[in-house]
Amino acid sequence: MEIEMKIGRASIRAALALVAGAFIGASAMAQAYPSKPVRIIASTPPGGTIDLVARLLAQHLPAALGQAVVVENKPGAAGNIAAEFVAKAPADGHTLLVTASSHATNISLYPRLAYHPVKDFAPVSQLTSNPFVIAVPASSPAHTLGEFLALARARKSDLSYGSAGSGQGNHLGMELLKTMAGFDAVHVPYNGTGPVTLALMAGQIDVAIQSPPGVLPQMKTGRLRILATTGRKRSPLIPEIPTVAEAGVPGYELLGWIALLAPAGTPKDVVDQLQREARKILGRAEVASQLHAVSSDVVASTPQEFSAFLDAEIATWAQVVKKSGARAE
């Protein structure tokens, strides 16, 4: 009997040791992030600002994570191809998405998305924000935004504006300006921002909202005129140019942004770790300098802040899309 009891106690101790060992092993595995190289999926081709931000993260993250970080560009469909890919990836933090403000507008522009911009993602951080500029040809009679708005109201719908395509930020931003400033203009979509700039310089369109890096060289050579910037504050690149709000349309603001997201279900500790490291990277002076050179400001929000911001962006642009009748091409 005594022998049986000893064997029984030994068996229990062995079983408990196995359970404890398994728990410790599972806990260690859960904490061992990352366990393989991390992929950052960029929603645009190489060379643009989104790609720049993704590669800045990939350059500095390995030192903190102890694993290689690679960037894969999956452009197309206003970011939908990259977003769908990441939405369907394992929720383990090894596949991440760097994308732009189209992530908030696509749900209103595309009737059938293969993913949901909120439900299928774990928000990590809004990384940057950037204002746009309102530009006119050098031959335009308008030298200020106030003069342009007076001209636009007088000409009624006999005015045109260009965009990089239906549903793009510069399209919806102009639709918002039309509503807030009380004028009309015909939308002329182009295939990208480059053709818009060329059409503007040639006087084929009357006005356009563009990213500063694409038009500042033309402003300096006198081929374009910038009337206003669309941020809450003046751009340090062109501090002499007023904001739209300063120039006569109070409350108007249009900012592009870039953000980092993971698949929904990614462990909170992994999301928090990624956010902390991204914030440290964006806080480096040399990184901030590279971003300022392309007119981008560092944001580095928390997951909670970015989640609230994304919800607000989706709601705001849903109203603009509905009123404008914009649809993805």
Side-chain angles (χ1 to χ4, degrees):
M1 186 70 167
E2 185 178 349
I3 294 173
E4 289 178 357
M5 290 180 65
K6 287 182 178 178
I7 293 173
R9 286 194 292 269
S11 299
I12 291 171
R13 284 196 297 270
L16 289 173
L18 285 172
V19 171
F23 177 79
I24 292 170
S27 179
M29 287 178 64
Q31 294 172 2
Y33 170 80
S35 59
K36 59 184 179 180
V38 174
R39 293 190 297 172
I40 295 178
I41 307 302
S43 63
T44 55
T49 307
I50 293 173
D51 180 67
L52 169 65
V53 172
R55 292 184 189 280
L56 286 171
L57 292 178
Q59 177 185 344
H60 296 286
L61 272 175
L65 299 182
Q67 286 282 355
V69 179
V70 296
V71 174
E72 294 182 20
N73 299 86
K74 292 187 181 294
N80 285 332
I81 292 174
E84 181 182 353
F85 181 86
V86 175
K88 295 178 178 179
D92 56 10
H94 291 93
T95 304
L96 308 172
L97 175 67
V98 171
T99 192
S101 43
S102 59
H103 193 76
T105 58
N106 284 344
I107 191 171
S108 299
L109 293 166
Y110 290 82
R112 284 180 291 276
L113 282 183
Y115 66 91
H116 192 281
V118 175
K119 296 176 182 178
D120 290 336
F121 293 90
V124 178
S125 179
Q126 181 191 347
L127 304 173
T128 68
S129 69
N130 62 276
F132 297 88
V133 298
I134 297 177
V136 297
S139 58
S140 173
H143 287 74
T144 67
L145 183 63
E147 290 177 356
F148 170 79
L149 293 176
L151 176 69
R153 292 168 185 140
R155 288 175 56 177
K156 301 191 182 299
S157 61
D158 183 26
L159 202 74
S160 63
Y161 75 92
S163 82
S166 183
Q168 297 296 310
N170 48 9
H171 171 208
L172 299 180
M174 187 63 77
E175 289 296 323
L176 179 62
L177 181 64
K178 284 167 53 178
T179 298
M180 293 182 68
F183 71 95
D184 199 7
V186 176
H187 175 219
V188 183
Y190 290 85
N191 186 24
T193 57
V196 177
T197 301
L198 292 175
L200 202 58
M201 289 191 293
Q204 297 170 354
I205 51 177
D206 297 293
V207 66
I209 293 177
Q210 292 281 74
S211 296
V215 295
L216 286 181
Q218 285 72 33
M219 182 197 80
K220 292 174 180 176
T221 57
R223 290 180 288 179
L224 289 178
R225 186 179 302 130
I226 294 178
L227 304 180
T229 60
T230 66
R232 193 173 300 170
K233 57 185 181 180
R234 295 192 181 198
S235 168
L237 295 179
I238 39 174
E240 72 278 13
I241 304 295
T243 66
V244 174
E246 288 178 310
V249 189
Y252 182 89
E253 184 179 20
L254 176 67
L255 292 174
W257 48 266
I258 295 173
L260 178 65
L261 302 100
T266 300
K268 183 179 183 300
D269 59 337
V270 172
V271 169
D272 290 342
Q273 180 182 358
L274 288 167
Q275 190 276 336
R276 286 194 303 271
E277 298 305 334
R279 185 183 63 224
K280 290 176 186 175
I281 292 168
L282 296 173
R284 293 170 179 254
E286 69 273 19
V287 171
S289 177
Q290 287 178 269
L291 293 173
H292 288 158
V294 292
S295 194
S296 293
D297 295 321
V298 170
V299 177
S301 62
T302 66
Q304 295 76 21
E305 290 168 341
F306 176 43
S307 178
F309 172 78
L310 181 58
D311 288 342
E313 284 282 280
I314 290 172
T316 295
W317 294 112
Q319 293 300 314
V320 176
V321 169
K322 182 178 180 181
K323 187 162 188 176
S324 68
R327 285 292 178 269
E329 295 175 329

